[in-house]
Amino acid sequence: MRGAVLHAPRDIRVEKRDDPKISAPTDAVIRMAATCVCGSDLWPYRGIEAVNGPAPMGHEYVGIVEEVGSEVRSIKPGQFVIGSFFASDNTCEICQAGYQSSCVHREYVGAGGAQAEHLRVPLADGTLVATPEIPSNDLVPSLLAASDVLGTGWFGAVAADVRPGKTVAVVGDGAVGLLAVLAARQLGAERIIAMSRHEPRQKLAIEFGATDIVTERGVEGVAKIKELTGGLGAHSVIEAVGTQESMMQAIRATRPGGHVGYVGVAHGVELPGEELFFSHVHLHGGPAPVRRFLPELIDLIYNRDIDPGRVFDLTLPLDQAAEGYRAMDERRAIKALLRP
Amino acid sequence: MRGAVLHAPRDIRVEKRDDPKISAPTDAVIRMAATCVCGSDLWPYRGIEAVNGPAPMGHEYVGIVEEVGSEVRSIKPGQFVIGSFFASDNTCEICQAGYQSSCVHREYVGAGGAQAEHLRVPLADGTLVATPEIPSNDLVPSLLAASDVLGTGWFGAVAADVRPGKTVAVVGDGAVGLLAVLAARQLGAERIIAMSRHEPRQKLAIEFGATDIVTERGVEGVAKIKELTGGLGAHSVIEAVGTQESMMQAIRATRPGGHVGYVGVAHGVELPGEELFFSHVHLHGGPAPVRRFLPELIDLIYNRDIDPGRVFDLTLPLDQAAEGYRAMDERRAIKALLRP
C-alpha cells in the first residue's frame, strides 16, 4: 500500500509501505475512506519534536473494516468505523471512568501511520465505533473530524466545565480551537470569545458560534478578556495550542474558581506553582479521551446538528500529503483532508 | 496590647503593639479568645520567605467582638466570632461562587497580626461568622482550627473531589494534612491513606479516619500508593505541604482522571507541562476559601461530630509564642495554641 512517511523535518514522502496485517486476535484492519494532517503532526514536521529515522505519519481515520482478528466480537467486516488515536479496551476501570486515552491497555494507533491506504487498529471492539450505515460522502469529513479534532475540542470544553449561561474563551484558532468553539456552543455557553488574528479562522469561529473575537495575545489578550468579563476573567478557558505563552494566557484569562481545559499537546511548558496556587483556577486536560464522546458526536453529525468537517479547507489526494503539510505549516490551510 | 512580632528569622518577640482601631466603617475589632501558630508562619520564621523589617504574625483567630464600624449590620459586639485569614465581602460574584479568598475586595487579615490580644477584621459582615452562643471552653480549640487548618484541609478534600466510596491519599502530616484526613472521612471516602513517617501524627491520622499509613516518600511513596490501588493510583490526592517534591508526589500518586487538591502554599514549585498533560489529573487548589465552609464546620463542631482541635498538642500563653514556633519548627508539636 501507499502511505506518508516523515524522513526528516519538512521531508514527507508518500511511498510504498507493507500492508498492515492482523497481528493480535483483537485487531482490525481498515481500508481508509479519508485521513488528514493534524496540528500535532507539525511538531515533528517542523523539527520541534525529534525525528528518529523514517516515521509513518497520521493518527486520524475513518474507513471500512476489511478484516478482524479471531477475538473481535462487535466490529464486523464491511462496517464503516471511526476510532481515536489511542486504542483502548473500553472495559478497564480507567476507561469506565471516561479516560480511554489512558486505558491500562492503550496503544497508539498512529504508530501504524493513518495517512495511508490501510491501517491496523488494535483492540478493535473497544476502540472503533461503527456508524448506523455507510454514510453519504458529504458526512465523511465531519466523521473524520470526530476521530480527533472534534473529540479533542469537545474534551477541552468539558474539561473547562463549559455550562449553559457561562462565558468561555478559546486560546488557539487551529482546527481544535475552532471545534472547541463549536463544542462550547453545543454545551450551552452564552458568550464564546475566540482568540484569533487570522480572518478566515475568525469567520469560521463565528459560524461555529463565537460571539466575540479577540485579536490581542499575551498580556494584552488577557487584559481584553478581563475587560469583556467585568474585570474577573472567563468562567472557562480552553487552551488548544500547547506552548508556555498559550498556557499562561489561558490561566490568566480565567477567573478565580474558573476552569482551564487544556488540550494543546504541551511542549516545553513549565507552570509556576505560586501563580497557579493564587490563581484559584481548576486545571484539567491531556490527550482527549475521544472514545468517550464518539457515540454522541456521531449522532450529532448524522442528525446534521453540527458540521465540524468545515475545518477541512483543503482536500488532496493522499499522494499530495506533502502539500497538505506545507499548507498547514504556512497557515494557508486550517486542516488538510487526504483521500487515499 | 501585646502581640507577636517577627524581627528576623527565628527571632519572634511578644511585645507592646498599638491597639487596633476601627479604620473603615465595615471593620470590627475583636478580643482574642485563642490564636495559634500556622505551618505557613514557619516559612518566614525559617527565612525561606523574606522578612523585611518587624512583622506582626498570625492569621488564625476566634474571639469576642468588641466594637464594630458604622456600616456593620449583622455582626454585633459581644458575639463570639470566627473568621478566615482573608477578609471578604461575601457578596461579589467570586464570593458567591465560593471563592471568598479571591474576593474582589479581599484583604489579608493577618496583616494586623492575630497572635495578639486584639485584632481588626475588615469587611466584618462578610468575613465573620458568629457562633449560636458563647461556646464552652472545650470547643474553643476546634473553633479556632476552623479558622484556617480545618477549613484548609476541608477545601483540599473538596478540591480533590473526595466522594463516598473513593480512595484518598494525603501528602503531608501537618495540621492541614491531618485535618484533610478528617474531612475525607466526613465526605465519605472509603479508604484514606495518610503519608507520614512520624508516629504521633500517624496515630492522630488514624483517629481522624485514616485506614492506611504509608511511610515512604517520593518515588517509593508513589509506588506504594500504586500498590495499594491496583496499580492505578488514588482517585483523590490532597497535597498539604507546598514543595516541588510533595506536588509531584501528589500528581504521580493520582490515577488518570483523578483529582489533586493542593493547599500547601507553593514555594519554588514548577510543574512540568508535558508530565501534567499526560497524567490526566485534575488540579485544583490555592488559598482555601474557608468562609465557604465555616457555617457547616461550626455546626459539626457544635454537634461534637468532629474534634479538629485535637491538632493542638501544645498550649501556651501568648507571651511564650517563641516556644510555640520552636516546638513546631523542630516538629516537637503539631500545632501550638496561644492563649492571650
Side-chain angles (χ1 to χ4, degrees):
Chain A
M1 69 164 186
R2 297 182 63 75
V5 176
L6 183 67
H7 286 262
R10 296 179 201 277
D11 180 8
I12 280 275
R13 302 179 210 163
V14 176
E15 57 194 29
K16 194 163 163 41
R17 292 181 48 214
D18 288 341
D19 284 330
K21 291 191 168 33
I22 299 290
S23 62
T26 48
D27 286 351
V29 168
I30 67 171
R31 186 175 78 248
M32 212 63 71
T35 178
C36 51
V37 183
C38 185
S40 68
D41 293 332
L42 297 181
W43 293 107
Y45 179 79
R46 290 169 172 161
I48 298 171
E49 248 174 56
V51 183
N52 303 311
M57 295 295 288
H59 54 266
E60 296 159 286
Y61 55 97
V62 291
I64 304 278
V65 179
E66 287 207 318
E67 194 186 350
V68 297
S70 60
E71 288 177 17
V72 174
R73 294 284 167 268
S74 59
I75 295 297
K76 316 270 181 218
Q79 285 180 326
F80 188 95
V81 291
I82 305 160
S84 163
F85 45 90
F86 274 123
S88 52
D89 61 26
N90 212 29
T91 56
C92 76
E93 219 176 307
I94 302 298
C95 282
Q96 289 298 302
Y99 286 86
Q100 289 90 342
S101 42
S102 281
C103 170
V104 298
H105 296 118
R106 78 171 177 189
E107 286 183 51
Y108 183 55
V109 181
Q115 291 159 6
E117 290 173 300
H118 300 267
L119 180 69
R120 181 180 78 90
V121 180
L123 302 169
D125 280 335
T127 304
L128 296 170
V129 178
T131 56
E133 70 258 356
I134 304 294
S136 63
N137 254 332
D138 66 318
L139 288 180
V140 170
S142 285
L143 293 167
L144 176 62
S147 170
D148 180 355
V149 281
L150 173 60
T152 295
W154 200 275
F155 175 59
V158 168
D161 196 45
V162 171
R163 289 167 191 266
K166 300 294 183 186
T167 295
V168 179
V170 180
V171 179
D173 63 1
V176 171
L178 292 167
L179 290 169
V181 168
L182 179 152
R185 167 59 67 212
Q186 287 290 316
L187 294 167
E190 183 173 306
R191 191 169 194 183
I192 302 169
I193 306 166
M195 306 190 85
S196 171
R197 49 178 61 190
H198 197 262
E199 204 262 329
R201 293 166 191 239
Q202 294 172 351
K203 210 164 147 264
L204 193 51
I206 286 167
E207 289 173 33
F208 280 160
T211 55
D212 300 79
I213 299 288
V214 165
T215 55
E216 292 86 348
R217 284 187 193 171
V219 175
E220 292 77 26
V222 171
K224 192 73 194 177
I225 300 288
K226 292 267 173 90
E227 191 189 315
L228 291 170
T229 54
L232 301 178
H235 296 99
S236 298
V237 179
I238 302 161
E239 191 283 336
V241 182
T243 62
Q244 182 71 20
E245 189 193 18
S246 63
M247 278 298 285
M248 296 316 299
Q249 189 172 316
I251 291 167
R252 290 169 183 162
T254 307
R255 68 179 56 197
H259 290 73
V260 176
Y262 65 108
V263 289
V265 183
H267 281 77
V269 173
E270 290 278 336
L271 299 181
E274 269 133 306
E275 179 170 351
L276 197 63
F277 184 84
F278 287 102
S279 76
H280 253 159
V281 303
H282 298 73
L283 201 60
H284 184 45
V290 174
R291 179 64 184 82
R292 189 204 308 180
F293 307 110
L294 275 180
E296 180 183 0
L297 299 180
I298 292 171
D299 271 1
L300 287 169
I301 292 166
Y302 256 80
N303 296 337
R304 297 179 191 272
D305 289 330
I306 60 174
D307 189 5
R310 301 194 55 217
V311 294
F312 294 108
D313 55 353
L314 178 64
T315 297
L316 296 167
L318 173 63
D319 277 343
Q320 293 175 34
E323 167 55 16
Y325 276 80
R326 267 195 306 273
M328 285 177 63
D329 179 42
E330 295 163 10
R331 287 178 80 84
R332 284 186 281 118
I334 298 172
K335 195 165 175 73
L337 185 144
L338 304 174
R339 293 258 183 210
Chain B
M1 68 165 187
R2 297 183 64 72
V5 176
L6 182 67
H7 286 262
R10 295 178 201 277
D11 179 8
I12 280 277
R13 303 178 208 163
V14 176
E15 57 193 31
K16 195 164 161 40
R17 293 181 46 213
D18 289 341
D19 284 329
K21 291 192 167 33
I22 300 289
S23 62
T26 47
D27 285 351
V29 168
I30 67 170
R31 187 174 78 251
M32 212 62 69
T35 178
C36 52
V37 183
C38 185
S40 68
D41 294 332
L42 297 181
W43 293 107
Y45 179 79
R46 289 169 172 163
I48 299 171
E49 248 176 56
V51 183
N52 303 311
M57 294 295 288
H59 53 264
E60 295 159 287
Y61 56 97
V62 291
I64 303 278
V65 179
E66 287 207 321
E67 194 186 349
V68 297
S70 60
E71 289 176 17
V72 175
R73 293 284 167 270
S74 59
I75 294 297
K76 317 270 182 218
Q79 286 179 325
F80 188 95
V81 291
I82 305 160
S84 163
F85 44 92
F86 275 122
S88 52
D89 61 25
N90 212 28
T91 57
C92 76
E93 219 176 307
I94 302 298
C95 283
Q96 289 298 301
Y99 286 86
Q100 289 90 343
S101 42
S102 282
C103 170
V104 298
H105 296 118
R106 78 170 177 189
E107 287 184 50
Y108 183 56
V109 181
Q115 290 159 8
E117 290 173 300
H118 300 268
L119 179 70
R120 180 180 79 88
V121 181
L123 302 169
D125 281 335
T127 305
L128 297 170
V129 179
T131 56
E133 69 258 357
I134 304 294
S136 64
N137 254 332
D138 65 319
L139 289 180
V140 169
S142 285
L143 293 167
L144 176 62
S147 170
D148 180 355
V149 282
L150 173 60
T152 296
W154 200 275
F155 175 59
V158 169
D161 196 45
V162 171
R163 290 167 191 264
K166 299 294 183 187
T167 295
V168 179
V170 179
V171 180
D173 63 0
V176 171
L178 292 167
L179 290 169
V181 168
L182 179 151
R185 168 60 66 212
Q186 288 290 314
L187 293 168
E190 183 174 304
R191 191 168 194 182
I192 303 169
I193 307 166
M195 304 190 86
S196 171
R197 49 178 62 190
H198 197 262
E199 203 262 332
R201 292 166 192 239
Q202 294 172 350
K203 209 163 149 265
L204 193 50
I206 287 167
E207 289 172 33
F208 280 160
T211 55
D212 300 79
I213 300 288
V214 165
T215 55
E216 292 85 348
R217 284 187 193 171
V219 175
E220 291 77 26
V222 170
K224 192 74 194 173
I225 300 288
K226 291 267 173 89
E227 190 188 315
L228 291 170
T229 54
L232 301 178
H235 297 99
S236 298
V237 178
I238 302 161
E239 191 283 336
V241 182
T243 61
Q244 183 72 19
E245 189 194 17
S246 63
M247 278 299 283
M248 296 317 299
Q249 189 172 317
I251 291 166
R252 292 170 181 162
T254 307
R255 67 179 57 197
H259 291 73
V260 176
Y262 66 108
V263 290
V265 183
H267 282 77
V269 173
E270 290 278 336
L271 299 181
E274 269 132 307
E275 179 170 351
L276 197 63
F277 184 83
F278 287 102
S279 76
H280 253 160
V281 303
H282 298 75
L283 201 60
H284 184 45
V290 175
R291 178 65 184 81
R292 189 204 307 180
F293 307 110
L294 274 180
E296 180 184 359
L297 299 180
I298 292 171
D299 271 1
L300 287 169
I301 292 165
Y302 255 80
N303 296 337
R304 296 180 193 270
D305 289 329
I306 59 174
D307 189 6
R310 300 194 55 218
V311 293
F312 295 108
D313 54 352
L314 178 66
T315 298
L316 296 167
L318 173 62
D319 278 343
Q320 293 174 34
E323 167 55 15
Y325 277 80
R326 266 195 306 275
M328 284 176 63
D329 178 41
E330 295 163 10
R331 288 180 79 84
R332 283 186 282 119
I334 298 173
K335 194 165 176 74
L337 185 145
L338 304 174
R339 293 257 183 211

